[in-house]
Amino acid sequence: MPPTRREFLTTLGAAATTLAAGPRLSETYRHTTAKAALQLYSVRRAMEKDVRGTLDLVADMGYEWVETAFFPEGMSYTQAGQVCRDAGLRVASAHVELPHGEHKDTLLEAADAFACNRMVWHGWPEDAGYQTLDGIRRLADTYNEAHAFCQNNGLRLGLHNHWWEFQAIPESEAGRVEWQERFEEDLPPAWGGLPFFLLRPLLDPGIFFELDMYWTLYAGLIPADIVREFGAQAPLLHIKDGIVLSEAGPMVPVGSGMQDFPAIVEAGAQNIEWMIVELDSCECGELEAAQKSLHYLISNGLVEAY
């Protein structure tokens, strides 16, 4: 079972005071308007045992906003939305399946239940389309179609990355010629054939990106550079940290690993609307890690204090 509220609150103060503050944001960007949220996937194990109790603890940490992913089996979107409201939590964005077939109805149900208009395609598992130029064009068509559906229903569609979207595809002069002949246009400029850079100019400008800082670093890139390059197209960031980068983790509380979050915030400047804490796995307790992460972001001026 998750700790009781009394047990959890007893440990919060001690955990917060022992967390190193780390480098602070420069005065240039101290006026950040980014807000903090917690991706509920971070606390999925606790939620499997006690959804309402876990969400109450998330609210006690100081989070006012969350991003949803998966709730325990058997819980409807309507029930999930209500339990979030009962805990005093609002939904900033929701991870969903792309709206095809039956998923069109479920996406609309999620948007209604969570009173949220930002729908994010979680991007899991890897689509083989990211490995070829033809596949990337096919994916662009799919995302544009999904965006049109969302737009027609008053919603926005975002794309979330893992590592494969920033790993170079096999690229050759023959491939460039094939692209130009098939689509009657030049191959879009890209950083060494990285799929997300090839994809961007093919997408409807209404589609936004939710850039995952951990997977970007894992792919061998500097997260701040990617945030700067995407600019206003990336209003949402997944904030996660690690000491040793691995597909399987474990991750550590934000601010205690390898990431330079002040540099990331400075690179994004006022384009960053949401800093969404996510911990796929963590050696310390997931609830403690989530609280330490929020404390780090607020105490270093990387997000607005609630």
Side-chain angles (χ1 to χ4, degrees):
M1 293 289 291
T4 65
R5 179 173 292 195
R6 179 184 294 274
E7 292 169 337
F8 185 69
L9 291 175
T10 299
T11 63
L12 276 186
T17 56
T18 58
L19 183 63
R24 294 183 63 85
L25 190 64
S26 74
E27 293 296 334
T28 304
Y29 294 105
R30 187 63 59 79
H31 58 289
T32 178
T33 58
K35 294 182 175 64
L38 178 68
Q39 165 55 257
L40 290 181
Y41 185 72
S42 306
V43 293
R44 63 194 180 281
R45 295 181 183 87
M47 287 175 61
E48 288 171 358
K49 300 174 182 177
D50 182 359
V51 176
R52 175 59 193 275
T54 299
L55 295 182
D56 282 342
L57 294 178
V58 168
D60 286 339
M61 295 175 196
Y63 285 102
E64 294 183 5
W65 295 86
V66 295
E67 179 179 66
T68 63
F70 310 106
F71 282 82
E73 186 175 357
M75 175 170 281
S76 69
Y77 279 127
T78 299
Q79 292 170 324
Q82 187 61 55
V83 76
C84 285
R85 287 189 292 275
D86 290 344
L89 297 170
R90 292 177 284 179
V91 177
S93 52
H95 274 206
V96 295
E97 301 296 331
L98 288 173
H100 298 296
E102 64 181 19
H103 293 309
K104 288 186 176 181
D105 291 335
T106 57
L107 183 146
L108 296 178
E109 290 172 11
D112 183 61
F114 297 134
C116 169
N117 69 353
R118 279 195 174 95
M119 304 289 107
V120 180
W121 161 231
H122 54 71
W124 183 272
E126 179 179 3
D127 192 306
Y130 281 115
Q131 300 173 11
T132 67
L133 295 175
D134 193 26
I136 289 170
R137 184 56 181 255
R138 174 181 59 79
L139 285 170
D141 290 341
T142 297
Y143 297 150
N144 286 334
E145 180 183 346
H147 162 73
F149 174 82
C150 288
Q151 188 176 47
N152 289 338
N153 286 279
L155 306 173
R156 296 189 61 196
L157 178 70
L159 305 178
H160 172 267
N161 69 282
H162 294 83
W163 59 92
W164 52 80
E165 294 92 344
F166 285 116
Q167 291 185 328
I169 65 172
E171 189 179 349
S172 65
E173 184 59 32
R176 290 180 179 275
V177 172
E178 177 188 1
W179 179 285
Q180 186 169 4
E181 290 178 348
R182 181 172 300 185
F183 305 119
E184 298 182 352
E185 60 186 34
D186 292 333
L187 185 69
W191 287 10
L194 303 185
F196 256 25
F197 281 92
L198 293 166
L199 185 68
R200 283 173 71 201
L202 304 178
L203 295 176
D204 185 289
I207 296 175
F208 68 89
F209 290 86
E210 178 181 67
L211 296 178
D212 188 299
M213 298 294 90
Y214 183 91
W215 296 127
T216 302
L217 185 64
Y218 178 79
L221 304 176
I222 298 174
D225 289 347
I226 301 301
V227 170
R228 184 178 297 106
E229 175 67 23
F230 275 70
Q233 285 184 290
L236 277 63
L237 301 183
H238 261 196
I239 302 302
K240 58 178 77 168
D241 210 346
I243 296 175
V244 178
L245 298 178
S246 167
E247 292 180 20
M251 295 167 186
V252 298
V254 170
S256 60
M258 303 169 66
Q259 296 275 24
D260 186 348
F261 291 111
I264 289 170
V265 171
E266 292 196 11
Q270 298 303 300
N271 292 318
I272 304 172
E273 297 178 25
W274 290 98
M275 302 272 282
I276 303 171
V277 173
E278 183 180 42
L279 300 145
D280 294 359
S281 62
C282 194
E283 286 185 337
C284 68
E286 58 197 53
L287 289 163
E288 178 184 344
Q291 191 279 332
K292 285 184 174 181
S293 297
L294 180 62
H295 174 76
Y296 169 82
L297 293 174
I298 292 176
S299 64
N300 287 279
L302 302 179
V303 296
E304 283 188 332
Y306 293 138

